[in-house]
Amino acid sequence: MNKRVRSALNSCISVALALLLAFAVIGVLLVWQGYNPLKTFLALLEGAFVGKLNLSASIVLAIPLVLGGLGIALSFRCGIFNIGGEGQLYLGAFAATWLGVNLAGLPFWLHIPICLLGSMVFGGLWALIPGWLKIRRGYNETITSVLLNYVGVNFVNYTLSSFFKAEGALNHQSPKIQPSAMLSKLMKGSELNTSLFLTILIVLLFYFIFYKTDVGFKLRMVGENGETARTSGVNTRRYLLLAIITSGALSGLAGSVQVLGYQHLMVQNFSPNTGYDIISVALMGNLHPIGVALAGFLLGALRNGASVMQIMMGVPVTILYIIQGIIILSVLGFNYAKIDFIGLLSRPFGGKAGKEAVQ
């Protein structure tokens, strides 16, 4: 079996087992609290997948998770740990909103790309700060990027309560963006919009660049063994900067699609913890673009289903975070143990994969 296919199958099995473990633990907690676990899980799955509107709502929630998760996966694979997705997402959304509000009279085919590009520029520049401090000064990028989250989020919240606040608004919110900056809806009665096509395109482009080009090969080389890459003539500093700037740009884009796609304005704390959830998505997807896309959809579906579950069953939506945590810890544990599930499954049948696993 092809090594890459085998690795992908092992990753899928590890996520499936992590899901089963998570639901088993939650089932015990639900019984302890007096809830029917079967009815609760059915409500969760119904809210996530049953019906066009529920499924489209799950996709809408998944889109920013996938975009941001791709950026985090890129930086992690390159060996620079960008934990600043929350601040980059807020700065990107702020840039898209400001451009969407103030650039009047533009056609949609020009206005929307300008807003999206502006969000990527702001997110990338915000990520450049911890990247530069890491490469030039040796500061820990994990600490600096986390601290910059507070700066970015509070700066955006300040603007929404001062000079960027909508006139006459009771809440701290921005003015509504121009109609020419709004992404087109794909389904009546749903918030699903054309950012879906943009996300699919970016996933495929990410895969192609990362695994089929010289740039992608060097990015992976820098992440796997920076010293070897350096002695091979690769400018590791350049690729580390490229990785973290691109990571920030994708996080900024993840914020902009929420504003341009369905919110059409910004309010304070408009997307809480999404910048941290994208780290979960990247880890659940094993830092692979296709895995990140699937993990983002799974987490988006669980988010949407948990809301429906809370309404139907009265179960607190916070169990979603327990499920999410168990899945991540389980997947990381399976990866650390390097368990070859394909080999273990093939062993009883005496297949080649089983013999390889034994060896």
Side-chain angles (χ1 to χ4, degrees):
M1 182 183 294
N2 183 283
K3 186 176 181 180
R4 186 172 295 177
V5 174
R6 189 189 189 102
S7 176
L9 290 174
N10 279 323
S11 296
C12 291
I13 293 172
S14 68
V15 172
L17 291 176
L19 273 171
L20 290 175
L21 177 61
F23 279 106
V25 173
I26 294 300
V28 173
L29 292 176
L30 290 172
V31 171
W32 179 40
Q33 293 296 317
Y35 295 103
N36 186 320
L38 180 59
K39 291 183 178 179
T40 301
F41 292 147
L42 287 176
L44 176 68
L45 295 175
E46 180 181 349
F49 303 110
V50 178
K52 291 183 179 179
L53 293 182
N54 284 340
L55 183 59
S56 64
S58 297
I59 296 173
V60 168
L61 293 177
I63 287 172
L65 294 174
V66 174
L67 290 172
L70 287 173
I72 298 299
L74 172 62
S75 66
F76 279 25
R77 284 295 296 268
C78 200
I80 188 163
F81 299 99
N82 177 23
I83 313 295
E86 185 85 345
Q88 294 149 22
L89 184 146
Y90 271 72
L91 265 294
F94 168 78
T97 307
W98 193 89
L99 293 169
V101 169
N102 293 292
L103 296 182
L106 294 177
F108 75 93
W109 53 265
L110 182 59
H111 200 175
I112 291 175
I114 289 175
C115 294
L116 295 175
L117 183 61
S119 69
M120 295 178 71
V121 170
F122 266 60
L125 290 176
W126 200 246
L128 174 62
I129 299 173
W132 185 86
L133 290 174
K134 160 78 172 180
I135 294 166
R136 293 292 184 182
R137 302 295 181 183
Y139 295 163
N140 188 302
E141 75 278 14
T142 303
I143 296 174
T144 53
S145 59
V146 167
L147 293 176
L148 283 170
N149 281 337
Y150 296 99
V151 178
V153 171
N154 288 311
F155 167 76
V156 172
N157 287 338
Y158 166 74
T159 65
L160 297 175
S161 63
S162 56
F163 65 88
F164 199 42
K165 182 181 179 181
E167 292 185 12
L170 298 178
N171 298 323
H172 297 310
Q173 64 183 50
S174 72
K176 196 171 183 180
I177 63 175
Q178 303 288 336
S180 57
M182 298 178 185
L183 296 172
S184 302
K185 298 289 191 293
L186 297 179
M187 185 185 301
K188 188 176 181 180
S190 170
E191 299 294 348
L192 188 62
N193 53 75
T194 50
S195 62
L196 172 63
F197 302 132
L198 176 65
T199 304
I200 294 174
L201 177 63
I202 290 176
V203 169
L204 296 176
L205 187 63
F206 187 99
Y207 177 85
F208 176 78
I209 292 175
F210 207 63
Y211 291 103
K212 303 295 182 181
T213 67
D214 181 65
V215 172
F217 173 74
K218 290 178 179 178
L219 284 168
R220 286 184 283 125
M221 182 190 295
V222 170
E224 290 171 6
N225 195 321
E227 189 61 34
T228 300
R230 191 178 299 110
T231 55
S232 300
V234 177
N235 189 333
T236 55
R237 289 186 172 186
R238 177 186 301 171
Y239 283 96
L240 286 172
L241 273 181
L242 174 63
I244 197 167
I245 290 172
T246 305
S247 176
L250 288 171
S251 295
L253 186 63
S256 69
V257 296
Q258 297 180 68
V259 173
L260 305 183
Y262 56 93
Q263 294 185 359
H264 300 152
L265 52 81
M266 276 196 76
V267 297
Q268 286 189 342
N269 302 310
F270 81 106
S271 187
N273 295 323
T274 301
Y276 295 105
D277 287 339
I278 59 178
I279 302 173
S280 305
V281 169
L283 296 175
M284 288 167 59
N286 202 24
L287 307 183
H288 189 282
I290 306 301
V292 168
L294 295 175
F297 174 70
L298 173 63
L299 187 54
L302 288 176
R303 277 185 169 188
N304 186 48
S307 300
V308 176
M309 176 195 66
Q310 185 176 30
I311 296 171
M312 293 178 62
M313 302 298 298
V315 178
V317 73
T318 49
I319 70 166
L320 170 64
Y321 300 106
I322 303 176
I323 295 174
Q324 184 176 326
I326 294 173
I327 292 173
I328 294 168
L329 290 174
S330 301
V331 170
L332 291 177
F334 291 142
N335 289 339
Y336 179 77
K338 297 181 179 179
I339 300 174
D340 183 10
F341 295 104
I342 301 299
L344 293 175
L345 292 173
S346 301
R347 186 185 299 177
F349 304 99
K352 183 178 178 181
K355 295 176 181 177
E356 291 175 354
V358 173
Q359 292 173 358

